[in-house]
């Protein structure tokens, strides 16, 4: 038996016939697994209805459990995806039919190979292009010598932590193809927006303009009145980096989210929030920008601004202590470069 999936891209219905799957026993069960058998670093919580959030210690994915299978947004990493596959089978007696990528960065997009035998991989056309064209954008920003590969001295964060296992040819540098080898390529792409229907459920994919990366997909769950966004928007949480984008660029991207009709905001890191967190995040960026502009106008240097711009209104946000000075410095760099 073939399951029929409906994908709508920019108003045109596409019908994909795919993947013989057993449909029996795909009913949704309550989230009742409390026997402690789950791998402790990974957790699942119900967001609302059939929408769930699945987390590592640092990253969040979401999945929608429909009557005809599972839609996962972001597989995160191989060991997590393998764990999730087992949980979905145990809890829902169901398989993953679609994997959607929020963007191409491997700390969110990697690891989906475990779902490749049942799932169609969907993302923005820019995501497909990025996966085929050298270093991910968040690695390219660390490529200080601009040679298109990441040497160990240039690598940071997850790239440094996984350097030896990623450097499969052992030449002491990471190429785009080595990094992206852990990310399953996309099967289906879209340009502006796409609607995806599976069983009793629908999700919408929306592409905001560039901020954090140029290939972002926002996933809207209309029935659940929830949206999932990754890395360009956080709920009462400081970003690790602004990735060189201006506040105007963030505002344009956030406007795409703000135009959607939803109540619950789930993000790729930190805690879930509400739609009000969209404007809340933009307010942080505008306040940061204003403070740094005033400091530059007063002739203060980068280090002084990092010490004196305290953003006290946001001191209760996640990672305030760890990240405040860094984004002050980044804003100084961005505004100085645009002088
Ligand atoms: Zn990212």
């Amino acid at each position: 038996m073939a399951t029929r999936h409906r994908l709508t891209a920019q108003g045109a219905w596409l019908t994909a016939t795919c993947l013989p799957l057993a449909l029996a026993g795909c009913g949704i069960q309550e989230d009742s697994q409390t026997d402690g058998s789950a791998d402790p670093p990974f957790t699942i919580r119900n967001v609302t209805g059939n929408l769930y959030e699945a987390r590592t210690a640092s990253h969040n994915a979401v999945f929608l459990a429909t009557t005809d299978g599972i839609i996962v947004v972001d597989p995160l990493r191989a060991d997590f995806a393998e764990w999730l596959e087992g949980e979905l089978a145990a809890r829902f007696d169901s398989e993953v039919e679609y994997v959607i990528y929020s963007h191409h960065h491997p700390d969110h997009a990697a690891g989906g190979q475990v779902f490749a035998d049942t799932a169609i991989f969907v993302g923005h056309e820019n995501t497909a292009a990025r996966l085929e064209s050298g270093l991910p954008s968040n690695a390219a920003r660390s490529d200080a010598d601009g040679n298109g590969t990441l040497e160990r001295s240039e690598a940071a964060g997850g790239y440094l932590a996984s350097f030896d296992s990623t450097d499969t040819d052992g030449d002491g540098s990471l190429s785009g193809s080595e990094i992206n080898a852990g990310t399953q390529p996309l099967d289906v792409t879209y340009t502006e927006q796409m609607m995806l229907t599976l069983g009793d459920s629908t999700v919408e994919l929306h592409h905001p303009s560039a901020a954090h990366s140029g290939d972002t997909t926002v996933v809207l769950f209309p029935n659940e009145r929830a949206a999932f966004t990754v890395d360009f928007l956080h709920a009462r949480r400081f970003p690790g980096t602004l990735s060189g984008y201006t506040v105007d660029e963030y505002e344009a991207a956030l406007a795409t989210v703000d135009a959607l009709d939803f109540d619950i905001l789930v993000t790729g890191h930190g805690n879930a929030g509400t739609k009000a967190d969209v404007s809340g995040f933009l307010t942080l960026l505008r306040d940061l920008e204003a403070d740094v502009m005033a400091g530059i106008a007063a002739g203060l240097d980068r280090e002084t601004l990092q010490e004196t711009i305290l953003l006290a209104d946001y001191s209760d946000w996640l990672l305030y202590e760890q990240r405040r000075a860094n984004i002050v410095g980044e804003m100084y760099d961005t505004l100085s470069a645009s002088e």
Side-chain angles (χ1 to χ4, degrees):
M1 179 185 294
T3 305
R4 297 185 72 81
H5 309 260
R6 290 182 296 156
L7 300 108
T8 312
Q10 298 166 303
W13 282 97
L14 307 174
T15 301
T17 303
C18 31
L19 308 176
L21 292 168
L23 291 178
C26 288
I28 307 305
Q29 300 171 4
E30 289 301 305
D31 179 11
S32 59
Q33 183 161 326
T34 55
D35 62 4
S37 64
D39 194 349
F42 306 141
T43 57
I44 290 174
R45 76 172 184 92
N46 180 243
V47 176
T48 183
N50 296 325
L51 180 64
Y52 296 79
E53 181 183 59
R55 307 177 71 137
T56 71
S58 57
H59 288 63
N60 307 329
V62 294
F63 66 86
L64 188 68
T66 84
T67 52
D68 278 1
I70 309 285
I71 301 170
V72 170
V73 189
D74 286 349
L76 303 185
R77 60 191 226 203
D79 59 345
F80 169 81
E82 287 176 17
W83 171 84
L84 182 60
E85 182 186 48
E87 290 293 309
L88 296 175
R91 294 175 184 232
F92 304 100
D93 191 19
S94 194
E95 294 179 321
V96 176
E97 298 281 343
Y98 288 103
V99 176
I100 300 168
Y101 292 159
S102 64
H103 64 310
H104 71 289
H105 291 164
D107 61 317
H108 297 275
Q113 283 86 345
V114 68
F115 304 125
D117 58 339
T118 60
I120 297 169
F121 286 69
V122 185
H124 190 261
E125 62 184 11
N126 293 352
T127 302
R130 288 296 325 203
L131 291 174
E132 295 170 358
S133 61
L135 293 173
S137 62
N138 60 350
R141 285 176 53 78
S142 305
D143 180 20
D145 63 9
N147 70 346
T149 65
L150 214 57
E151 281 71 46
R152 191 183 299 271
S153 61
E154 296 170 329
Y159 293 117
L160 182 59
S162 63
F163 195 95
D164 291 323
S165 61
T166 308
D167 182 22
T168 48
D169 68 4
D171 70 349
S173 67
L174 306 183
S175 66
S177 59
E178 283 176 322
I179 291 172
N180 293 327
T183 300
Q184 179 73 16
L186 293 175
D187 302 309
V188 175
T189 63
Y190 73 99
T191 301
E192 292 177 11
Q193 58 192 47
M194 170 181 277
M195 188 169 76
L196 193 160
T197 300
L198 180 64
D200 59 347
S201 298
T202 296
V203 302
E204 294 179 18
L205 286 63
H206 295 266
H207 173 59
S209 55
H212 177 80
S213 71
D215 67 316
T216 295
T217 290
V218 174
V219 182
L220 178 71
F221 301 90
N223 297 340
E224 292 73 19
R225 298 193 56 77
F228 181 61
T229 71
V230 178
D231 282 357
F232 75 105
L233 165 60
H234 303 258
R236 299 178 63 80
R237 179 182 186 273
F238 272 67
T241 175
L242 301 176
S243 306
Y245 288 94
T246 66
V247 180
D248 284 352
E249 288 169 317
Y250 273 91
E251 181 167 18
L254 294 170
T256 296
V257 185
D258 208 42
L260 303 176
D261 186 19
F262 69 98
D263 301 318
I264 302 168
L265 177 68
V266 185
T267 66
H269 301 274
N271 300 325
T274 68
K275 192 173 182 184
D277 289 303
V278 180
S279 57
F281 189 71
L282 179 61
T283 302
L284 164 70
L285 298 183
R286 285 294 179 207
D287 285 351
L288 169 67
E289 179 185 51
D291 287 357
V292 173
M293 283 176 89
I296 291 173
L300 301 176
D301 64 19
R302 191 180 195 277
E303 288 69 32
T304 302
L305 296 182
Q306 287 183 304
E307 289 168 9
T308 57
I309 294 178
L310 299 181
L311 298 167
D313 289 349
Y314 306 93
S315 60
D316 61 341
W317 285 27
L318 292 177
L319 299 176
Y320 168 83
E321 295 288 347
Q322 296 91 330
R323 292 178 165 180
R324 177 199 55 82
N326 183 62
I327 65 166
V328 169
E330 284 195 3
M331 185 61 71
Y332 176 90
D333 297 340
T334 298
L335 294 175
S336 300
S338 66
E339 288 294 304

